[in-house]
Amino acid sequence: MLLPKARGTLSEQLFTALREEPGTAVALSATSVDVADDAEDRAIALWASYELHYRGFEDVDDRWEWSPDVLRVRAGLEEALEAEVRERYAAHQPERTDDLAKDLFDYVADHDGPSMARYVQTEATEAQVLELLRQKSVYHLKEADPSAWVVPRLPTGPKAALMELQFDEYGDGNPARLHQHLFERGLEAAGLRSEYGAYVDEATLPVLESNNVQSFFGLHRRLRAASLGHLAAFEATSSIPSRRMAQGLERLGFPDEIADYYREHVEADAVHEQLAVRDICVPLVELEPALADDVFLGAFACLDTEDRQARDLLDRWGVEA
Amino acid sequence: MTARPVDPPTPATPATPSTPAQPVVEERPTIVMCPEGPMLLRGDAVIEDADGNRHRTTRPVSAVCRCNKSATKPWCDGTHKLLPKKLRP
């Protein structure tokens, strides 16, 4: 993958520096979140600074990953992101009892948002679904990777349980069943590009923000519970929508490979949601009770960013939701 | 095939073992009844459904439908969440 297109002053300055040899550039000394033009400029800059930790860029020297200059710029962007997420979460505090599993499932179930899957199931056009797949590819091609960062940061029980879930995400040892790979095959069959990051330049702001919040939670040990709360909410809102997506793809005559990706998630995520809530989040909070609120913060961030991605696309298409 | 390298010498065991940092974790169950949800089943198994059809598990942990409304029986597809609470398992 090459660096994406800059979307403003901050990302332009950052990407210009990243194309240079690390250590020689003084260009970033004046660069900070303060020079950002807008939210998209901040989001693509943060996205690229996280990608240095995943697969990197062909036109960027790998040594930039731990450059203090990049980390300083990133920290400013993360501070802004965290403040925004916490502010939105403040208006959606959970109702807590002594049953965390029930509270978490209820919190997710009671959340009201637009249903992209329902629209795809019954009404979406082929062109709209292709656009949706391109947008979704930014995450699905690294599906499960952001929560993999959390593994070494957990105590015994939640660690083993997270690995049990992740193992299934990564194909149970069979590369042909790796979820990221199922999506690659689906994209190819649908006539789309399947390389990692292929559609980043057309990613909407909510898509970038959703990606960023997952990397942010995953890469900060203090936010490990938020990463797992995000995972739990993601899994708990997947089975039924995945079935609707598969039905919509069948209705429009999309190839089996892409419908299969969603069919796989109907059954897989019916398992994963139980594991994420009952074997990962609940035991973690039993061991570290102070982390309870972060679980809900993460769950909220998942529901909220998914909503905003859906609403943004539905608005573009002129669909009431 | 290369020879197995010789193990480095084992450091002497401390006289007093350090206190475990975490409580001892119990063996996980093979079968779990999830409140208002499916039955989790760990390991390879063949399930015979009510019509006598057999289904082999395809993943390390499977979720078996308990609400009887799944469209992918015997596996859970999340449909229990669409049922009123009193009709859930």
Side-chain angles (χ1 to χ4, degrees):
Chain A
M1 171 173 59
L2 296 171
L3 272 172
K5 287 196 181 79
R7 301 196 191 190
T9 309
L10 169 62
S11 46
E12 186 64 55
Q13 289 182 9
L14 177 65
F15 298 171
T16 302
L18 289 178
R19 289 192 182 92
E20 303 292 326
E21 182 90 350
T24 58
V26 286
L28 280 177
S29 59
T31 300
S32 77
V33 63
D34 300 334
V35 306
D37 292 342
D38 55 20
E40 261 193 65
D41 190 18
R42 288 195 299 271
I44 195 71
L46 184 56
W47 187 86
S49 70
Y50 284 141
E51 282 308 313
L52 297 172
H53 298 294
Y54 291 94
R55 308 279 289 270
F57 301 98
E58 287 157 52
D59 49 347
V60 175
D61 189 311
D62 286 342
R63 288 173 293 172
W64 275 110
E65 180 183 356
W66 295 105
S67 150
D69 285 331
V70 175
L71 295 181
R72 179 183 52 74
V73 172
R74 197 186 88 182
L77 293 163
E78 289 175 323
E79 202 177 309
L81 175 70
E82 182 168 5
E84 212 175 298
V85 172
R86 288 195 184 277
E87 191 186 322
R88 283 201 297 271
Y89 172 58
H92 294 85
Q93 294 287 319
E95 281 179 35
R96 298 285 313 278
T97 67
D98 56 2
D99 185 343
L100 179 65
K102 185 176 177 304
D103 292 349
L104 194 46
F105 275 122
D106 285 349
Y107 183 69
V108 172
D110 293 344
H111 183 88
D112 195 21
S115 174
M116 174 59 82
R118 207 185 283 271
Y119 179 70
V120 169
Q121 182 186 25
T122 56
E123 288 176 67
T125 65
E126 183 185 342
Q128 289 169 342
V129 171
L130 286 170
E131 184 177 1
L132 176 65
L133 294 175
R134 293 196 300 271
Q135 294 292 338
K136 287 287 174 188
S137 72
V138 180
Y139 174 66
H140 289 324
L141 293 176
K142 66 172 176 204
E143 186 170 326
D145 290 347
S147 34
W149 304 117
V150 182
V151 174
R153 296 164 179 168
L154 296 177
T156 306
K159 176 183 280 181
L162 178 57
M163 281 309 298
E164 188 174 53
L165 190 162
Q166 293 285 94
F167 187 58
D168 204 34
E169 291 282 342
Y170 291 134
D172 306 315
N174 178 359
R177 287 193 58 176
L178 187 85
H179 285 183
Q180 300 168 0
H181 181 66
L182 293 180
F183 199 73
E184 278 171 16
R185 291 186 50 201
L187 289 173
E188 282 161 17
L192 296 170
R193 290 167 58 196
S194 65
E195 333 73 275
Y196 186 88
Y199 294 106
V200 173
D201 282 335
E202 53 180 283
T204 62
L205 174 62
V207 166
L208 293 175
E209 286 179 338
S210 161
N211 247 242
N212 286 344
V213 84
Q214 294 184 69
S215 299
F216 174 54
F217 291 156
L219 286 167
H220 289 265
R221 186 173 57 82
R222 72 181 167 91
L223 293 166
R224 59 199 179 283
S227 180
L228 300 175
H230 188 292
L231 173 69
F234 198 93
E235 301 288 1
T237 48
S238 176
S239 280
I240 295 170
S242 291
R243 188 177 63 201
R244 291 185 173 135
M245 285 293 299
Q247 288 168 344
L249 292 163
E250 285 163 24
R251 171 180 66 81
L252 290 164
F254 271 82
D256 257 352
E257 287 88 339
I258 189 67
D260 280 346
Y261 168 86
Y262 289 99
R263 288 187 201 112
E264 159 67 11
H265 284 75
V266 174
E267 281 171 26
D269 294 349
V271 179
H272 295 178
E273 65 175 333
Q274 302 294 341
L275 299 180
V277 172
R278 299 182 195 285
D279 289 358
I280 300 174
C281 291
V282 170
L284 179 64
V285 170
E286 275 168 12
L287 291 166
E288 301 183 60
L291 296 179
D293 192 57
D294 282 351
V295 169
F296 287 94
L297 171 71
F300 169 76
C302 171
L303 301 168
D304 181 53
T305 53
E306 288 297 315
D307 277 359
R308 286 187 296 125
Q309 291 177 71
R311 190 167 293 121
D312 175 70
L313 278 180
L314 293 168
D315 281 353
R316 282 163 198 249
W317 300 337
V319 177
E320 292 278 329
Chain B
M1 192 161 172
T2 53
R4 191 167 167 268
V6 176
D7 288 333
T10 315
T13 314
T16 319
S18 56
T19 316
Q22 295 161 30
V24 174
V25 177
E26 288 174 24
E27 188 64 29
R28 65 182 180 170
T30 310
I31 291 177
V32 179
M33 302 297 174
C34 300
E36 299 184 4
M39 176 180 90
L40 295 187
L41 171 61
R42 289 190 163 91
D44 286 332
V46 176
I47 294 183
E48 187 171 288
D49 65 24
D51 301 323
N53 299 316
R54 293 182 171 202
H55 307 265
R56 180 174 285 280
T57 54
T58 59
R59 56 187 75 251
V61 190
S62 307
V64 181
C65 172
R66 290 204 300 149
C67 74
N68 213 28
K69 302 284 186 227
S70 171
T72 57
K73 275 192 289 184
W75 316 121
C76 170
D77 68 352
T79 297
H80 56 270
K81 292 185 194 178
L82 302 176
L83 302 176
K85 288 214 169 190
K86 62 178 182 186
L87 293 182
R88 295 184 197 175

